[in-house]
Amino acid sequence: MMGSNSNSDNSGSSTYSSNSSDEMIEHIRKKHNRDEDQKDNAKKRQKGSTVSLPQFNLQKFCYRHNPDIQSPENNTACHKQDLKRFQEVNQKISQLPVKEQSVVHHTISTFTKSNDKIRKLILDGLLTASCFPQLSYIATQVQNMIKIDFISVLPREVSLKILCYLDCQSLCNAAKVCRRWQVMADGDRVWHHMCQQHIDRKCPNCGWGLPLLHMKRAREPQSTCCNNGQSTGKKPVKTPWKVIYRDRFKVESNWRRGHCSIQEFKGHMDGVLALHFNSRLLFTGSYDSTVAIWDLCSGSLIRRLSGHTDGVKALYFDGQKLITGSLDKTIRVWNYMTGECISTYRGHTDSILSVDSYRKIIVSGSADTTVKVWHVESRTCYSLRGHTEWVNCVKLHPKSFLCFSCSDDTTIRMWDIRTNSCLRVFEGHVGQVQKVLPLVIIDIENLVVDEPVEDPEAQHQDQEVEPADDILKENLPYPTHILSCSLDNTIKLWDIKTGKCIRTQFGHVEGVWDIAADNFRIVSGSHDGKVKVWDLQSGKCIHTFQGKCLQQNENQSTDNTNCTYKVSPIACVGIGDSEFFTGDEMGFVKRFRFDTDET
């Protein structure tokens, strides 16, 4: 809105003068008056008299005619456009006859010298008297003239706060406006907020979540296995937050599109039963009774651990110690650097099918139907009894002192490892349960679940189940859900508090041997030789990958996407932020990488 006082009027009228020297004189006069006011205020301070506070210029001028906005070097673009437009208008007026020039100058002068009320009346009258072509011309001109560069005008903190509300695409578009916008839109503060909103969690606004990428999350350059920790001699430079976001956005986009590169590891003489990996190493256990250690950077076999007399069915690695469980009924702890077996645990009377560990506690599940808890420091072992068939998997949740186990008896049990008591039994599978995983799902409100089915018998069973508040009554960070797979071809999601199955995922045509999950996805491997990637939130199958064909034609492609022969069953899977692994019964291990540019 135009100002209503004489200062605003003079600033507007001077620009329409045909003589550029008048504009300069008017600008100097205003600057002189401001200097005189400052000197008068300084004298009043010396005399001790009251000094009136200076008024902010936005109270005296409109945005368009504010000298404080026009004077800075980075805000002169709009002012220069106005001056150019004034020159074009004056040039067009000068081409008119003298009488018409006088009329136009008089009209403009009358408008600029009027107060705000009179100006509005004049504009109302002009708009009412205008025809549609003239109104269209006014609308076109006003649309371009009314735009304000708010990012440059507002204080920096306010501008950054506004930019933090934009999504990724809008921020990239804002960086293309001008150099000043680019500096602010590419700033670390804005993109740090974007990373906090999306990395390792799903944004409630856009629904996107980005992988954590453990080895790339630090802003300081990290030495990895690929550069052997060699220093370049240059001063380390922090990675911009926009680059950190970009790397994760690229990986997430590849996950969603199914674009990945595949790397194969072949070194076992028999089927692969278990695998475990970190950022540098891959550990695989096989029916050939050995454990192979692979370098993920080079893809080469580093070491082979021998000592078990039967197949290695279970693996656990925490960065320091490697624990293996075998069909020979023993558990071994290894120094993976030297290949030396540090200790051997014997106690199960049948094959060991699963191991897990936390600090000085080892938990194992066996075909002898028991779960054993080994306390390394006290050299004591406790047996948890309740399953009636093979215990296929055990998983610890250390923060809540819980242990979960699943069995061929089609049940899942939740144990308290402090009291060695069974807290709850989860029933719902109709086939042997092969894997169980405790989960902490943050966005429970948007979690897709199956619609409840009214069943009188089920309601009667629910009444007999002990309420969760009586079981999980301590103030501990319990998992919110558990995930399980079974040879009944299904994957089930369970609610810890109610003990009910809230979602069943169908897709595999044969039994599911293994599953792995993170905050966004589930990877499952089945006896049908297929690997499926599911969305954890919705339960929908995103992609399906084919395993290794047991027989292959000469003309058949190597990717096995259209294999017409029987496919080798997938025995084990593992998932990371930017990759997942599969091991099959032919002894092949595949690595699916989503952090590469290959499509």
Side-chain angles (χ1 to χ4, degrees):
M1 183 181 296
M2 300 296 292
S4 61
N5 50 55
S6 60
N7 287 336
S8 177
D9 299 340
N10 291 337
S11 64
S13 61
S14 63
T15 55
Y16 279 93
S17 176
S18 60
N19 190 350
S20 61
S21 62
D22 293 342
E23 299 177 3
M24 183 64 67
I25 294 173
E26 183 68 17
H27 179 71
I28 295 174
R29 183 183 63 80
K30 292 177 181 179
K31 184 176 181 181
H32 176 73
N33 291 338
R34 289 197 298 267
D35 294 341
E36 290 296 330
D37 292 339
Q38 292 177 358
K39 292 179 181 179
D40 292 341
N41 288 335
K43 292 179 180 179
K44 290 179 180 180
R45 290 193 197 96
Q46 294 177 356
K47 295 180 180 180
S49 58
T50 305
V51 180
S52 60
L53 294 175
Q55 292 184 346
F56 187 56
N57 272 339
L58 287 178
Q59 297 177 359
K60 299 174 62 179
F61 297 95
C62 71
Y63 167 82
R64 191 176 180 190
H65 298 123
N66 191 346
D68 288 344
I69 295 177
Q70 297 174 354
S71 57
E73 296 181 358
N74 55 356
N75 293 329
T76 57
C78 295
H79 183 54
K80 289 180 179 179
Q81 290 179 2
D82 286 342
L83 290 179
K84 183 179 179 180
R85 183 175 178 81
F86 295 151
Q87 293 175 0
E88 293 176 354
V89 172
N90 286 331
Q91 185 178 2
K92 291 179 180 179
I93 294 174
S94 64
Q95 296 175 358
L96 298 174
V98 177
K99 187 175 181 180
E100 293 181 357
Q101 289 185 25
S102 177
V103 173
V104 174
H105 280 301
H106 177 71
T107 303
I108 295 175
S109 178
T110 302
F111 180 82
T112 55
K113 291 180 180 179
S114 301
N115 58 31
D116 183 63
K117 182 179 180 180
I118 300 300
R119 287 186 176 189
K120 287 183 178 179
L121 290 174
I122 294 174
L123 290 174
D124 289 340
L126 291 174
L127 291 174
T128 305
S130 299
C131 300
F132 280 110
Q134 297 161 356
L135 291 175
S136 177
Y137 173 78
I138 293 173
T140 303
Q141 296 299 318
V142 170
Q143 185 178 8
N144 295 327
M145 297 173 65
I146 203 171
K147 295 177 181 178
I148 298 176
D149 184 2
F150 63 93
I151 293 294
S152 301
V153 174
L154 292 174
R156 178 178 175 82
E157 294 296 322
V158 178
S159 299
L160 290 174
K161 185 68 175 177
I162 294 173
L163 291 175
C164 286
Y165 285 101
L166 301 181
D167 57 13
C168 176
Q169 185 63 43
S170 300
L171 275 178
C172 293
N173 292 335
K176 300 177 182 179
V177 174
C178 61
R179 290 183 180 180
R180 181 171 178 81
W181 280 51
Q182 182 183 21
V183 171
M184 299 192 71
D186 290 346
D188 265 0
R189 175 172 174 180
V190 176
W191 286 99
H192 179 247
H193 178 267
M194 288 287 291
C195 291
Q196 287 181 323
Q197 198 172 7
H198 292 86
I199 292 181
D200 205 31
R201 67 189 66 189
K202 279 200 173 183
C203 175
N205 299 324
C206 66
W208 268 70
L210 304 182
L212 185 60
L213 300 186
H214 291 272
M215 288 304 296
K216 297 181 181 179
R217 67 184 176 187
R219 302 189 66 200
E220 300 287 350
Q222 303 290 320
S223 60
T224 63
C225 60
C226 298
N227 58 23
N228 296 325
Q230 295 179 356
S231 175
T232 59
K234 297 181 181 180
K235 183 178 180 180
V237 180
K238 288 185 178 180
T239 305
W241 283 107
K242 184 176 182 180
V243 175
I244 294 176
Y245 186 94
R246 181 197 64 194
D247 293 341
R248 286 150 179 78
F249 186 85
K250 181 181 70 174
V251 172
E252 179 64 21
S253 299
N254 289 338
W255 270 108
R256 295 194 174 205
R257 294 195 300 261
H259 292 172
C260 63
S261 62
I262 302 177
Q263 181 182 8
E264 284 192 358
F265 301 84
K266 175 60 177 174
H268 287 290
M269 303 301 294
D270 209 333
V272 177
L273 297 175
L275 61 84
H276 196 103
F277 67 96
N278 60 12
S279 60
R280 299 182 299 109
L281 302 174
L282 168 67
F283 302 86
T284 56
S286 170
Y287 268 123
D288 62 13
S289 72
T290 66
V291 177
I293 305 178
W294 310 81
D295 185 341
L296 289 180
C297 288
S298 62
S300 59
L301 179 64
I302 300 176
R303 187 172 292 106
R304 189 181 298 274
L305 308 182
S306 301
H308 285 293
T309 58
D310 207 338
V312 179
K313 184 65 173 66
L315 287 173
Y316 174 82
F317 180 69
D318 61 2
Q320 297 179 345
K321 60 181 179 295
L322 173 65
I323 303 175
T324 60
S326 171
L327 303 181
D328 63 8
K329 310 175 188 177
T330 64
I331 300 172
R332 290 177 180 264
V333 181
W334 306 80
N335 182 339
Y336 75 99
M337 297 293 292
T338 63
E340 176 188 1
C341 178
I342 300 174
S343 57
T344 303
Y345 295 86
R346 295 180 174 86
H348 283 290
T349 58
D350 207 334
S351 301
I352 295 175
L353 306 178
S354 178
V355 293
D356 198 9
S357 177
Y358 179 72
R359 293 184 179 178
K360 299 297 183 180
I361 295 178
I362 300 175
V363 179
S364 60
S366 170
D368 62 10
T369 73
T370 65
V371 177
K372 288 188 179 293
V373 182
W374 311 77
H375 295 267
V376 177
E377 288 187 341
S378 61
R379 296 180 177 275
T380 56
C381 177
Y382 299 93
S383 295
L384 310 182
R385 304 181 184 277
H387 287 294
T388 58
E389 297 289 343
W390 292 9
V391 180
N392 295 312
C393 179
V394 289
K395 280 292 178 182
L396 284 171
H397 190 262
K399 294 182 179 179
S400 59
F401 303 102
L402 294 180
C403 175
F404 296 88
S405 62
C406 61
S407 169
D408 279 355
D409 62 12
T410 72
T411 66
I412 302 169
R413 289 180 177 264
M414 180 171 66
W415 310 82
D416 188 336
I417 60 175
R418 296 171 299 179
T419 61
N420 298 325
S421 59
C422 180
L423 302 180
R424 169 160 290 168
V425 180
F426 300 83
E427 297 178 332
H429 280 292
V430 295
Q432 298 92 328
V433 186
Q434 298 298 312
K435 190 70 172 284
V436 59
L437 296 174
L439 300 176
V440 177
I441 299 178
I442 301 175
D443 190 12
I444 299 180
E445 295 180 356
N446 297 320
L447 184 67
V448 178
V449 298
D450 296 338
E451 295 183 1
V453 180
E454 295 183 1
D455 187 356
E457 295 183 0
Q459 293 180 359
H460 178 70
Q461 292 178 359
D462 293 340
Q463 294 176 357
E464 297 178 354
V465 175
E466 187 176 357
D469 294 338
D470 296 338
I471 298 176
L472 310 178
K473 56 186 176 181
E474 297 185 55
N475 188 19
L476 295 174
Y478 294 103
T480 58
H481 299 79
I482 58 174
L483 193 69
S484 64
C485 68
S486 169
L487 296 186
D488 60 11
N489 310 349
T490 65
I491 300 171
K492 288 183 179 290
L493 184 67
W494 309 76
D495 191 332
I496 288 290
K497 292 183 178 180
T498 62
K500 298 179 181 178
C501 174
I502 60 175
R503 188 175 74 198
T504 302
Q505 299 171 204
F506 300 93
H508 288 289
V509 296
E510 294 189 55
V512 184
W513 286 110
D514 198 9
I515 54 173
D518 59 10
N519 289 339
F520 306 113
R521 281 165 286 272
I522 304 168
V523 175
S524 60
S526 168
H527 197 80
D528 58 17
K530 294 181 180 179
V531 181
K532 290 184 178 290
V533 180
W534 314 73
D535 182 76
L536 176 62
Q537 204 75 21
S538 65
K540 295 181 179 179
C541 180
I542 306 173
H543 303 292
T544 301
F545 298 89
Q546 193 77 23
K548 199 80 173 176
C549 286
L550 295 177
Q551 185 177 355
Q552 190 168 340
N553 290 333
E554 295 180 357
N555 299 328
Q556 187 169 327
S557 60
T558 57
D559 57 1
N560 301 313
T561 54
N562 298 315
C563 181
T564 57
Y565 295 97
K566 184 173 177 58
V567 182
S568 177
I570 305 297
C572 53
V573 296
I575 189 172
D577 292 323
S578 60
E579 59 194 353
F580 71 85
F581 289 80
T582 64
D584 60 32
E585 292 190 357
M586 289 179 62
F588 285 93
V589 177
K590 283 188 177 182
R591 182 190 190 187
F592 297 78
R593 295 189 60 181
F594 296 87
D595 57 352
T596 61
D597 295 328
E598 300 179 23
T599 58

